[in-house]
Structure formats: structure tokens, C-alpha cells
Amino acid sequence: MILVQKCVTSSEGNEISESSNMSYLTGGKTETNLPNQSEVVLCQDLNGRLDGVGSAVVCDYTCHNDGQSVEVSQLCTRDSDGISGLNADPAAITKSAKHESDMTLEDMYNARYNFDEDDDDSDWEPSEKQIEVLKWFCVNCTMINVEDVGNCEVCGEHRESGILSHGFFASPYLPLEDVNQDELPVTEDSEDSCKQSSLSSSTAVGFDERMLLHTEVVMKSHPHPERPDRLRTIAASLATAGIFPGKCYPIPAREITREELQMVHSEENIEAVDNTKRMHASYFTPDTYANEHSACAARLAAGLCADLASAIYSGRVKNGFALVRPPGHHAGVKQAMGFCLHNNAAIAASAAQAAGAKKVLIVDWDVHHGNGTQEIFERSKSVLYISLHRHEGGRFYPGTGAADEVGSMGAEGYCVNIPWSRGGVSDNDYIFAFEQVVLPIALDFNPDLTIISAGFDAARGDPLGCCDVTPAGYASMTQMLSALSGGKLLVILEGGYNLRSISSSATAVIKVLLGESPTIDIENTVPSKAGLRSVLDVLKIQMNFWPTLEANFTKLHSEWGPYAFQDTREQSKKRRRTGLPIWWRWGRKRLLYRILSKQLRTKSSCNFSC
């Protein structure tokens, strides 16, 4: 389903978005209707099917306040900007709110800063005179701030930050050209480093500026988190560090062919994406946009990933990093969703197999489960898919990826899901899961090529992931996977929506690909209690398919079993009794009052930059 938007220009020169028609694309055939946008709202379920009326969802996530985790459940709605709107029937909203898995990534993103909820305002009497509030959006995290604030109240970034020019080396607290010289690496003859070393020992990077043209055209109340600045900031960080261009070999970009896409996607997906070339603005789902350049960007991203996979497997380059967008791991056989149009990692695996690889490992550390990648390979024994992601009993987008989803049709065990039960997951939990689950299975599988679906939205400070993985943590996971496949490793960019977090993390990963060692000490890693429980649950299921895991399960259960599962029931009852904390119920009303009155008092108690 694609919702087409028509943009007009007002007399003041501002773009105004209005709904023009609805197009339903199936197998390349288009049917057009003209619904009353104020009367009907169309939404889709996780498989991209038209699912009825309603736009209210429940968003569950975890905030961290003074070192403590608090699980939050919130009813959130989409604004009526031509994409979706409110259902006027309260009963319908209540019914829709029960379907937590219907939320989109953008729903989760916007819900945390939605000031339009129906709070009890009987004790608050704002001035009858309407106040015009000037605001700006943070370039780093896109959060809203009032005009007279110099630094973002959520992430601290200066409103005139130079992060787009120098990446994470730019000072977050000072404007424009201020760069932290102490953090700049010492690069001697970096321009000639690729020429001096043989190509077979080089790290290749795939990038093309045409992918920056994929952007949301519709003017909405909040910038879309998946934006071109994500690539700009990573590229600026690599250039400032003298890494790329300089130390890495550039792979020329090409658009993927239709025949290559057909190895992964159905005609329905290929035609739907291709048809966006003739539309100024369109939507596959309420949070998955396209414009006239998006099809080209998606084909360039897929083509770069395919060529990198072939070059790495054949030995023409040592390893590589695909600096691409739109991301891909939510795109399934038929549907585009979750910001993703074509599945870049799946296309790379297919290209490696076409080049002769018998077995391919895909490790997905994006904070969201790669439901599209799992769907594509769930019946295959030649591709092992391992995903680490927030799940929380199916309440976290996209709702899939439970530990008991192990593959099907004779390929049981070739899908390994490590679902986290809460937010705030840190380096220790990820590294512990790598040591106990990921590496033992991967070594047993013995892949010919390893692909990382590298979303950096589990990074510290990310507004969607709300976890706590550091650049050093990502570097350590990369180094551990470098020991597989004879070092043949391809890293493909997926999510990540805090520019400072994504650029510093991506740079740390590429440094490992170039041969640097991470600074984190992974010896005697101790996980959190929730992380330990998740790993034990996965081991108990997967050791039925990978006997090498039985020793790990037995050892961990004997040493930490009682600790891991004690008080679980009591904590669950306590959460049900307490409900939403006082500071959450009143925090956003207080922040709205501060914006309207332009009086900046102390910061809100809830810090979402976990």
C-alpha cells in the first residue's frame, strides 16, 4: 500500500502537504481511490497487509532514571498530516491500543515526546492569549527545543553544531568549526596508504552520494529519524579521521539488476519500489517513505552490498563496510516496512552464494529484530541468521524475534534469536551473549563469509533503541566476528538515529576492519540479571540443534541459575501494582508548560538518551 502525497507551495513559499489519493500496488497494478481523509485511516500489520481502521497504539519501552530501569506503557497516536489520523470512536481506540505489535518505528520515536495526550489539566490554567513559540530541532537527535536554548535539552548538542562537517570529532557543546583536536588520530601518509598496500589486504568502503537524495518530502511536525544526515555524519567522521578517503579502498557504485533482486524479493516488492520513481512522495507504511529518488537509492545500496560481498569472498579485498541507506533488514520477500525497501544483507548473502560461498553467516545487532531477513532465510540451511535485539515479549517493534523462532521446514536451528527483555542493555550483555551463544554456534557452522547487519540504534544516546552499547563494545563484537571466515567480513549499515552515536560507533568498527584493536576488556564479562536470563533461555532452546551449547548452559545454570531467576515473579507483580510513576505522568505536562512560557527550569526527570 502506498499513500501518495501532493505538495503545494503557499504564498509565503512554505511547502504544504495535502493528501491527493491512495494507490494500492500489487504486482505492479495500480488502483486509485479518493477516500475522505478525515473519515478513514488505513493502517497495516507487521506483514504489510491492510488491517482496518485506527491509529492508536501502545508503546512500551524502558527509561532509566538515576540508575534504575522503569518500564513504561503509553498510548500514542499519529498526527493527521495526510498519513494517518485519530479514530473518533473511543471504543475503537481502546481496541486498537491492545494491538501493541501494530506500532511502527516512527510511532515509538514520536510517542516519547508527544505532548498531546489527554492528561487531566484541571489544575492548570494557561493564559488565554495565544503565545507564538519559536522552536528548533536538534541536528543530532532531532528533538524539539525552544528558541532561546543554545544546547539540546535531550542530548546536549549545540544548535549550531559542526557535526555534519566534522562528524563526532566536532564539539557537542560549541558551534560550527570547533573540533576536538585531541581526539583526532595521527595519520601519516594516509592518502597513499591504500596504494602502498595490496588491494587484497585492503578494507573497502561502499558509498554513493545519490543515496542522500532518498528523503521524506512531506513536511511533518517532526523530522524523520531515518534521514540523509546519518550518512553525511559518518562520512564526515571518516574524512576527519583520515580513514575514508585515505586508508580504505572505494568500491564504485552500481544499481542492482532486476535479476539479482529476484533472488531475494518477489515481483510485488520490486514493482512497488520501482513505481515510486514516478511519484513525488509516497508511503509503503506510515513510517516508510519514498520519493522519486528512493528506488535509485535502494538499488544503489543493494548493488554496493552485492559487489562488496563478491569482492570479499573472492579475496579481491580483505573486508568491507557498506555505508548505505535506506536500510534493509525489515524488508521481507514481498513487503517494504520499517524504513526499509530492499533487504541489503539478504542480497549480499545471495551475491556471495552466486560467487561460490556455500555457507553465509548474518549477525544482526540492530536493536530491532530483522524480521525481513529471518523471513527470507527461515527455510535455508546455507544461511545462518543470528539476531540480538530488544523484544520484551513482542511489545518492541516489530514484535517478532522470540527465542523459540528457530527456523522451519528442516532448517530448525539456523535462525537464532537473542531477545532482550528490557532496554538499557549494555556492552556486557552483548559481549556475554557473543561468548556464550553467537561464537560457539558460528564456529560450529564455519561460514565462508560473515555479514553484520550493523544497526547502531542500540548505542548509548539513541532515541529509538534506548540502550547503552558504546563504540568500544561495537568494536569488540566486530573483532570477535573477524576471527570467522578467515577474516572475510562485510559490515552493512542498518539503523542508528543519534548522529554522534552512529558516527563514533561506525568509525570504531571500521578501525577494527583496518586492524586496530578495541580498547574494551572483555575478560570475565558479567551480564545483567535480565541479560543472563535471556541468554539462558536461548541456550536451553538452541542446544537442541547445536549440542556444543549444552556445556555452556549446564555451567551457567549451575553457577548463576538461582541468581538469574530469583524474585522474577515478585518484580512482575510489583510493576503491575505501581503502574506509571508519578514523574512520568506529570513530566511531559511540565515540559509543555515550560515551552509555552519559555521559562527554562530544571531538566525533566526522564532522560531518554539512555
Side-chain angles (χ1 to χ4, degrees):
M1 185 273 285
I2 294 185
L3 169 59
V4 182
Q5 299 287 329
K6 179 175 67 177
C7 294
V8 297
T9 305
S10 66
S11 58
E12 292 81 13
N14 299 322
E15 282 193 347
I16 302 174
S17 169
E18 62 181 55
S19 177
S20 60
N21 59 63
M22 289 271 189
S23 298
Y24 303 90
L25 303 186
T26 304
K29 298 181 180 180
T30 305
E31 298 179 359
T32 304
N33 295 321
L34 294 173
N36 186 334
Q37 192 66 21
S38 64
E39 294 179 354
V40 63
V41 176
L42 299 175
C43 61
Q44 292 180 308
D45 63 12
L46 295 176
N47 294 320
R49 299 187 302 269
L50 192 64
D51 198 34
V53 180
S55 63
V57 294
V58 173
C59 300
D60 290 77
Y61 46 91
T62 304
C63 291
H64 296 270
N65 181 38
D66 299 330
Q68 296 182 352
S69 298
V70 180
E71 293 194 4
V72 177
S73 177
Q74 176 191 351
L75 179 67
C76 59
T77 56
R78 301 271 304 168
D79 54 15
S80 55
D81 53 12
I83 301 171
S84 59
L86 295 179
N87 190 322
D89 185 0
I93 293 178
T94 303
K95 180 180 179 180
S96 179
K98 296 179 181 179
H99 297 283
E100 300 171 351
S101 61
D102 288 345
M103 76 181 88
T104 65
L105 275 168
E106 196 176 11
D107 287 331
M108 296 169 56
Y109 186 72
N110 291 332
R112 298 174 184 172
Y113 303 94
N114 177 14
F115 302 122
D116 298 327
E117 66 175 359
D118 187 18
D119 281 338
D120 181 9
D121 292 335
S122 58
D123 61 335
W124 184 48
E125 298 179 359
S127 171
E128 294 183 359
K129 183 178 179 180
Q130 189 172 6
I131 302 174
E132 181 180 0
V133 180
L134 300 177
K135 61 186 180 181
W136 57 276
F137 293 99
C138 176
V139 67
N140 180 49
C141 68
T142 75
M143 291 299 107
I144 188 173
N145 293 271
V146 294
E147 177 66 24
D148 54 355
V149 176
N151 290 76
C152 176
E153 286 210 304
V154 175
C155 70
E157 193 80 17
H158 195 279
R159 67 179 300 178
E160 297 178 357
S161 167
I163 193 169
L164 295 181
S165 300
H166 302 291
F168 73 95
F169 294 107
S171 170
Y173 310 112
L174 300 175
L176 298 177
E177 298 302 322
D178 294 280
V179 178
N180 190 342
Q181 298 291 336
D182 295 334
E183 289 191 10
L184 290 178
V186 178
T187 55
E188 298 180 1
D189 301 325
S190 60
E191 295 182 357
D192 299 325
S193 59
C194 277
K195 298 178 182 179
Q196 294 173 357
S197 60
S198 63
L199 189 59
S200 61
S201 62
S202 298
T203 295
V205 171
F207 174 69
D208 191 286
E209 290 187 350
R210 286 175 288 176
M211 292 182 289
L212 301 176
L213 297 176
H214 168 65
T215 185
E216 188 174 39
V217 175
V218 181
M219 301 297 292
K220 296 172 66 175
S221 60
H222 194 280
H224 198 287
E226 205 297 283
R227 57 204 192 277
D229 288 347
R230 298 171 64 244
L231 291 197
R232 290 191 182 102
T233 306
I234 298 175
S237 298
L238 298 178
T240 303
I243 294 175
F244 179 76
K247 293 184 176 181
C248 297
Y249 176 77
I251 290 286
R254 70 169 178 92
E255 295 185 28
I256 197 79
T257 66
R258 191 180 193 89
E259 292 72 25
E260 290 172 296
L261 285 175
Q262 288 172 340
M263 300 299 293
V264 170
H265 292 293
S266 67
E267 284 295 324
E268 182 177 345
N269 171 271
I270 298 170
E271 284 292 331
V273 175
D274 193 58
N275 284 338
T276 62
K277 294 185 298 184
R278 296 180 287 276
M279 303 177 188
H280 181 60
S282 54
Y283 285 83
F284 292 92
T285 64
D287 65 348
T288 306
Y289 64 81
N291 65 10
E292 56 192 322
H293 304 290
S294 297
C296 176
R299 289 197 302 268
L300 285 168
L304 281 167
C305 292
D307 289 349
L308 279 166
S310 299
I312 293 169
Y313 173 73
S314 64
R316 295 196 301 272
V317 296
K318 179 183 178 182
N319 50 41
F321 189 100
L323 184 54
V324 296
R325 63 181 292 272
H329 73 151
H330 292 307
V333 175
K334 296 182 179 180
Q335 78 279 7
M337 62 176 288
F339 311 167
C340 304
L341 305 187
H342 294 318
N343 196 305
N344 300 319
I347 291 168
S350 175
Q353 291 179 319
K358 301 298 183 184
K359 294 184 289 185
V360 178
L361 167 65
I362 300 177
V363 176
D364 188 341
W365 67 42
D366 189 283
V367 79
H368 305 99
H369 179 243
N371 57 302
T373 310
Q374 176 172 299
E375 177 197 0
I376 292 168
F377 296 117
E378 65 181 349
R379 300 180 181 181
S380 173
K381 298 179 70 173
S382 63
V383 177
L384 170 62
Y385 177 66
I386 304 179
S387 177
L388 305 93
H389 51 271
R390 282 184 66 178
H391 184 253
E392 301 175 32
R395 295 190 301 274
F396 198 79
Y397 184 90
T400 55
D404 58 3
E405 296 176 24
V406 297
S408 61
M409 301 293 290
E412 288 80 3
Y414 288 85
C415 175
V416 181
N417 286 302
I418 304 174
W420 305 124
S421 61
R422 61 171 181 79
V425 186
S426 66
D427 292 345
N428 282 0
D429 288 323
Y430 274 85
I431 291 172
F432 182 77
F434 263 61
E435 292 174 334
Q436 301 298 328
V437 181
V438 177
L439 290 182
I441 294 178
L443 288 170
D444 208 1
F445 181 66
N446 191 23
D448 300 313
L449 175 71
T450 300
I451 298 173
I452 302 176
S453 274
F456 296 108
D457 40 7
R460 178 178 296 172
D462 189 275
L464 264 69
C466 207
C467 287
D468 197 35
V469 181
T470 67
Y474 285 118
S476 297
M477 290 187 284
T478 304
Q479 186 180 55
M480 286 188 275
L481 293 175
S482 296
L484 304 170
S485 311
K488 296 179 179 180
L489 177 63
L490 170 58
V491 183
I492 299 175
L493 182 66
E494 297 284 0
Y497 309 101
N498 178 303
L499 299 188
R500 190 164 292 276
S501 298
I502 190 177
S503 59
S504 58
S505 299
T507 302
V509 166
I510 294 178
K511 285 182 177 180
V512 173
L513 297 180
L514 288 167
E516 293 189 22
S517 298
T519 58
I520 195 171
D521 181 14
I522 63 175
E523 296 295 330
N524 300 317
T525 302
V526 178
S528 66
K529 182 184 291 187
L532 175 60
R533 286 198 296 265
S534 296
V535 169
L536 284 171
D537 289 341
V538 174
L539 287 173
K540 186 176 182 180
I541 293 171
Q542 289 293 337
M543 68 182 185
N544 295 315
F545 314 107
W546 305 94
T548 186
L549 298 178
E550 186 172 358
N552 290 0
F553 176 79
T554 302
K555 181 180 179 181
L556 291 177
H557 196 273
S558 62
E559 292 179 355
W560 286 347
Y563 164 78
F565 295 100
Q566 68 181 1
D567 299 330
T568 303
R569 185 174 302 175
E570 288 74 6
Q571 291 173 1
S572 178
K573 290 181 179 179
K574 183 178 180 181
R575 282 196 297 270
R576 288 196 296 268
R577 287 196 305 269
T578 56
L580 292 176
I582 292 294
W583 58 262
W584 171 254
R585 293 198 296 268
W586 294 98
R588 283 170 297 157
K589 183 192 294 185
R590 184 169 63 253
L591 183 55
L592 176 60
Y593 176 80
R594 289 163 52 203
I595 291 176
L596 293 176
S597 64
K598 299 180 69 174
Q599 297 177 1
L600 301 177
R601 299 187 179 92
T602 59
K603 289 187 176 182
S604 175
S605 301
C606 185
N607 179 8
F608 290 101
S609 297
C610 302

